[in-house]
C-alpha cells in the first residue's frame, strides 16, 4: 500500500515542499530510505521504529518498506521528517486513513518514547505551506506559536505521536492553536542600554543619531575605556521599532539558524550582534557544507558591532559585498544561496596597538612602524564603505561624576523615527527603506545640491581626495542630516557636517 505525507526542506531561508512517499509491499523485510537523505535523516529509521513501538502502535516490520523523499535531487538535512515518515508508515500499513493528511504539512522530530520535539525553520515551512494553499500544518507543540505568526493557515500543535494518531482517527481531536493568544505581537521591545546613562561624548551621540536616522555605517576610534562599546550597545534603542514585516523577516532568519529563544516566537527587538574577532569567514557571512546564515544575516535590520576592528584581519574583506548589496550570496557544492544582510555596521578600534596614540594623559609605547602596520590591517576599500568616522576621547572626571542624566533614548528615537518616516514616504513604491539603501540613480534624484553646495563639494573632492563611492556616500549622509532637520533641500551646513564625518581621525 502506498501513502504520501507532505513535509518541508529548508533551502536558505525558504521552505521547499518534500513529499514523503511510503510503500509497504510483500517481500524480504527491511527499510530502504532514498531521496538524498543526510546522516540525520537516515537515522530517522531507528527513531521512528522505537517511537511507534513505544507509543503502543504496530510497526509494519514484516514487509518490504521503501521510503522516498521527493524531489529526489534535493538534499534532505535534519530530523524534521521523523513525524511525517512515522505517519506515512502507519498510513501504508492501514493504521490511519491514507487520506487523513491530505492538504496538510507535517513537521517534527521524534523521541524514542514518541514525544515530538522542536525543529528549526518552522515559520519558513508554514509560510511555504500557506503559499501553496495547504489547509493546516502539524508542528511540535513548542513551535506552534512560531507557526501561528503566518496568517490564513490552521496550526495543530502536536506533543506526542499517539495524540496525532488519535486526532486523525477522530478519537480525540487536537484543538488548533489560537493566534490571538500570542503576547509577542503586543510586547514592546526593551533595550538594556539607554543614552541617558552615558556621560559626555555629545559629538559621538550626535553622530550615532545621524547614523541611525539613515542606516549609515560608523567607525569609532579612541583609547581603551572611552565608552565605545557602551555607545554601540545603545544604538538599537534609538532605531525605530521594527514593523511586523521586518520582525517576521528577522524571526525567519533566527528560526532557520535555530537561534530563536524558546519563549520568544517573534523577535521585536532590533538585533545586536557582536562576534569575537576570532570568528571565521563562514561564521561572519554564512556558509558550511549546507549553508546557514552568518553574523551579517543575524544582524539583519539591526546592528553588527565589530570591536577591535583591526584584529579581524583579512576576514573583514568578505564584508564588501553585503555592505554594498545588502545581501550575501554563499556558493557551495550543494548550491548557491542568498541571505539578507541589511545591517548597520558599527566598528570600534584603538588608534594604535597599545591604544594611547595621541592621548594627552597616557604615553604611547608604539613605534611609527607598529602604528602603520596596525592601521593597514583594515583595507582602504572597506574604510571607504563606512560613512561616518568619529573620534571618541576619554571622558573627564567632571562629566563622569555629574548626576544629571543625558537625553534619553526615547527622545532620540522620536527624531530618528520622524526622519525615517520622511525617507519611507520618499521611497514609497520601492524596496528602499532608508537613505543608506539609495543607489546612484536615487542619489541623483533625491540628494541634489544647490550652487553653494556644489562649490563646497568640489573643494572637498579636491582636498579630501574622495572616491566616486565616497562622493555618493557624502550625499546620502547629507540627505539624512537634512531629514533630521526636516528640510526638503540639502543646505551647505548639512553638507559641511557630512564632510566632517567623512574625514578620518
Amino acid at each position: 500500500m502506498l501513502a504520501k505525507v507532505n513535509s518541508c526542506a529548508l533551502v536558505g531561508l525558504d521552505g521547499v515542499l518534500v513529499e514523503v512517499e511510503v510503500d509497504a509491499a510483500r517481500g524480504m523485510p527491511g527499510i530502504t530510505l532514498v531521496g538524498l537523505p543526510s546522516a540525520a535523516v537516515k537515522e530517522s529509521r531507528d527513531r521512528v521504529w522505537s517511537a511507534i513501538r513505544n507509543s503502543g502502535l504496530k510497526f509494519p516490520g514484516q514487509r518490504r518498506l521503501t521510503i522516498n523523499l521527493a524531489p529526489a535531487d534535493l538534499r534532505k538535512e535534519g530530523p524534521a521528517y521523523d513525524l511525517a515518515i512515522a505517519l506515512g508508515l502507519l498510513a501504508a500499513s492501514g493504521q490511519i486513513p491514507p487520506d487523513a493528511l491530505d492538504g496538510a504539512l507535517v513537521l517534527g522530530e521524534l523521541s524514542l518514547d514518541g514525544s515530538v520535539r522542536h525543529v528549526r525553520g518552522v515559520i519558513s515551512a508554514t509560510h511555504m505551506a500557506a503559499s501553496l494553499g495547504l489547509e493546516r500544518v502539524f508542528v511540535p507543540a513548542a513551535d506552534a506559536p512560531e507557526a501561528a505568526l503566518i496568517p490564513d493557515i490552521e496550526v495543530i500543535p502536536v506533543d506526542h505521536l499517539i495524540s496525532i494518531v488519535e486526532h486523525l482517527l477522530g478519537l480525540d481531536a487536537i484543538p488548533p492553536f489560537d493566534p490571538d493568544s500570542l503576547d509577542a505581537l503586543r510586547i514592546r521591545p526593551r533595550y538594556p542600554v539607554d543614552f541617558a546613562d552615558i556621560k559626555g561624548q555629545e559629538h559621538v551621540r550626535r553622530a550615532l543619531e545621524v547614523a541611525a536616522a539613515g542606516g549609515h555605517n560608523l567607525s569609532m576610534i579612541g583609547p581603551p575605556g572611552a565608552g565605545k562599546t557602551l555607545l554601540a550597545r545603545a544604538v538599537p534603542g534609538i532605531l525605530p521599532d521594527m514593523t511586523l514585516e521586518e520582525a517576521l523577516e528577522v524571526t525567519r532568519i533566527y528560526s532557520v539558524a535555530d537561534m530563536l529563544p524558546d519563549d520568544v516566537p517573534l523577535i521585536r527587538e532590533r538585533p545586536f550582534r557582536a562576534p569575537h574577532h576570532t570568528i571565521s569567514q563562514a561564521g561572519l557571512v554564512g556558509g558550511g557544507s549546507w549553508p546557514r546564515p552568518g553574523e551579517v544575516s543575524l544582524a539583519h535590520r539591526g546592528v553588527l558591532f565589530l570591536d577591535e576592528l583591526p584584529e579581524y584581519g583579512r576576514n573583514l574583506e568578505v564584508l564588501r559585498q553585503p555592505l554594498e548589496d545588502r545581501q550575501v550570496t554563499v556558493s557551495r557544492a550543494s548550491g548557491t544561496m542568498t541571505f539578507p544582510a541589511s545591517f548597520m555596521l558599527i566598528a570600534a578600534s584603538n588608534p594604535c596597538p597599545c591604544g594611547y596614540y595621541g592621548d594627552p594623559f597616557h604615553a604611547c609605547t608604539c613605534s611609527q612602524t607598529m602604528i602603520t602596520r596596525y592601521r593597514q590591517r583594515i583595507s582602504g576599500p572597506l574604510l571607504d564603505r563606512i560613512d561616518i568616522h568619529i573620534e571618541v576621547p576619554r571622558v573627564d572626571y567632571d562629566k563622569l561624576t555629574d548626576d544629571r542624566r543625558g537625553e534619553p533614548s526615547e527622545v532620540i528615537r522620536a527624531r530618528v523615527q520622524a526622519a525615517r518616516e520622511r525617507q519611507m514616504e520618499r521611497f514609497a513604491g520601492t524596496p528602499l527603506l532608508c537613505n543608506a539603501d539609495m543607489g546612484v540613480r536615487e542619489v541623483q534624484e533625491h540628494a541634489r545640491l544647490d550652487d553653494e553646495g556644489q562649490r563646497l563639494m568640489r573643494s572637498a573632492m579636491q582636498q579630501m581626495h574622495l572616491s566616486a563611492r565616497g562622493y555618493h556616500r557624502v550625499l546620502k549622509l547629507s540627505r539624512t542630516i537634512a531629514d533630521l532637520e526636516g528640510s526638503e533641500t540639502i543646505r551647505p551646513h548639512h553638507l559641511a557636517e557630512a564632510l566632517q564625518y567623512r574625514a578620518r581621525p
Side-chain angles (χ1 to χ4, degrees), residues 49-296:
W49 181 82
S50 296
I52 290 177
R53 290 177 60 87
N54 290 328
S55 298
L57 301 168
K58 183 179 179 182
F59 187 85
Q62 301 304 314
R63 299 186 182 186
R64 179 65 183 174
L65 302 174
T66 303
I67 303 170
N68 178 42
L69 307 179
D73 60 346
L74 176 67
R75 180 175 171 81
K76 318 303 185 306
E77 188 257 349
Y81 307 99
D82 288 3
L83 185 58
I85 291 173
L87 294 177
L89 288 169
L90 295 175
S93 60
Q95 299 182 62
I96 60 175
D99 58 350
L101 290 167
D102 290 348
L105 186 80
V106 179
L107 290 172
E109 176 186 349
L110 285 175
S111 297
L112 299 185
D113 62 355
S115 58
V116 182
R117 305 179 63 181
H118 152 82
V119 294
R120 66 185 183 91
V122 168
I123 189 171
S124 295
T126 308
H127 181 269
M128 180 272 299
S131 65
L132 293 178
L134 299 182
E135 300 174 356
R136 68 189 67 85
V137 291
F138 292 90
V139 300
D143 298 326
E146 179 185 343
L149 295 171
I150 304 300
D152 304 325
I153 190 166
E154 189 178 57
V155 177
I156 308 297
V158 182
D159 57 5
H160 200 280
L161 177 60
I162 193 62
S163 64
I164 187 174
V165 170
E166 292 176 346
H167 173 86
L168 297 174
L169 292 173
L171 301 177
D172 189 7
I174 303 173
F177 187 87
D178 183 12
D180 295 333
S181 64
L182 286 174
D183 294 331
L185 298 176
R186 294 179 287 272
I187 296 176
R188 282 190 57 82
R190 296 180 180 180
Y191 299 100
V193 181
D194 195 293
F195 267 96
D197 300 323
I198 298 176
K199 305 296 184 180
Q201 309 293 15
E202 288 79 7
H203 69 295
V204 185
R205 293 160 61 103
R206 166 65 179 177
L208 290 171
E209 179 180 340
V210 172
H216 302 284
N217 304 319
L218 178 142
S219 172
M220 294 182 287
I221 301 177
K228 300 186 293 294
T229 301
L230 185 65
L231 285 161
R233 292 188 178 278
V235 171
I238 64 173
L239 292 173
D241 292 341
M242 285 197 294
T243 63
L244 181 59
E245 291 75 15
E246 289 178 317
L248 288 172
E249 196 174 5
V250 173
T251 301
R252 284 182 66 185
I253 296 172
Y254 278 74
S255 177
V256 168
D258 205 12
M259 296 178 63
L260 197 64
D262 295 338
D263 57 343
V264 182
L266 180 67
I267 295 178
R268 299 309 302 261
E269 293 86 6
R270 295 273 179 181
F272 181 87
R273 302 296 300 178
H276 193 259
H277 63 259
T278 57
I279 190 172
S280 65
Q281 290 187 359
L284 194 57
V285 298
S289 56
W290 189 252
R292 292 196 182 186
E295 290 292 335
V296 297

Side-chain angles (χ1 to χ4, degrees), residues 295-447:
E295 290 292 335
V296 297
S297 297
L298 294 172
H300 183 62
R301 302 300 181 197
V303 174
L304 176 66
F305 177 53
L306 300 182
D307 198 7
E308 305 297 341
L309 187 66
E311 301 298 335
Y312 288 83
R314 294 192 59 84
N315 286 345
L316 291 174
E317 299 309 306
V318 298
L319 293 178
R320 293 191 191 182
Q321 184 213 0
L323 285 175
E324 286 290 335
D325 301 338
R326 302 290 176 172
Q327 62 182 20
V328 59
T329 302
V330 180
S331 297
R332 293 291 185 272
S334 57
T336 299
M337 301 179 188
T338 299
F339 299 104
S342 181
F343 59 90
M344 272 183 62
L345 173 64
I346 297 183
S349 59
N350 297 325
C352 66
C354 77
Y356 296 104
Y357 179 76
D359 193 313
F361 304 104
H362 199 292
C364 175
T365 60
C366 304
S367 66
Q368 191 60 45
T369 302
M370 293 170 61
I371 296 173
T372 301
R373 189 181 297 117
Y374 180 75
R375 294 182 178 180
Q376 286 178 344
R377 295 180 185 178
I378 310 172
S379 68
L382 182 66
L383 287 174
D384 205 34
R385 288 167 167 82
I386 299 178
D387 303 333
I388 299 176
H389 299 267
I390 195 77
E391 188 171 1
V392 185
R394 65 170 64 249
V395 183
D396 59 36
Y397 176 80
D398 292 336
K399 290 184 178 180
L400 280 176
T401 56
D402 192 346
D403 292 334
R404 290 175 298 179
R405 287 170 59 85
E407 193 175 32
S409 295
E410 185 176 358
V411 176
I412 303 175
R413 188 193 309 122
R415 294 197 295 266
V416 171
Q417 179 71 47
R420 285 287 185 103
E421 288 174 356
R422 294 186 185 95
Q423 295 164 43
M424 294 181 69
E425 182 179 352
R426 181 182 302 128
F427 303 137
T430 72
L432 307 181
L433 295 177
C434 59
N435 288 332
D437 295 337
M438 287 194 294
V440 175
R441 182 179 301 176
E442 290 80 17
V443 170
Q444 293 174 347
E445 180 180 355
H446 301 297

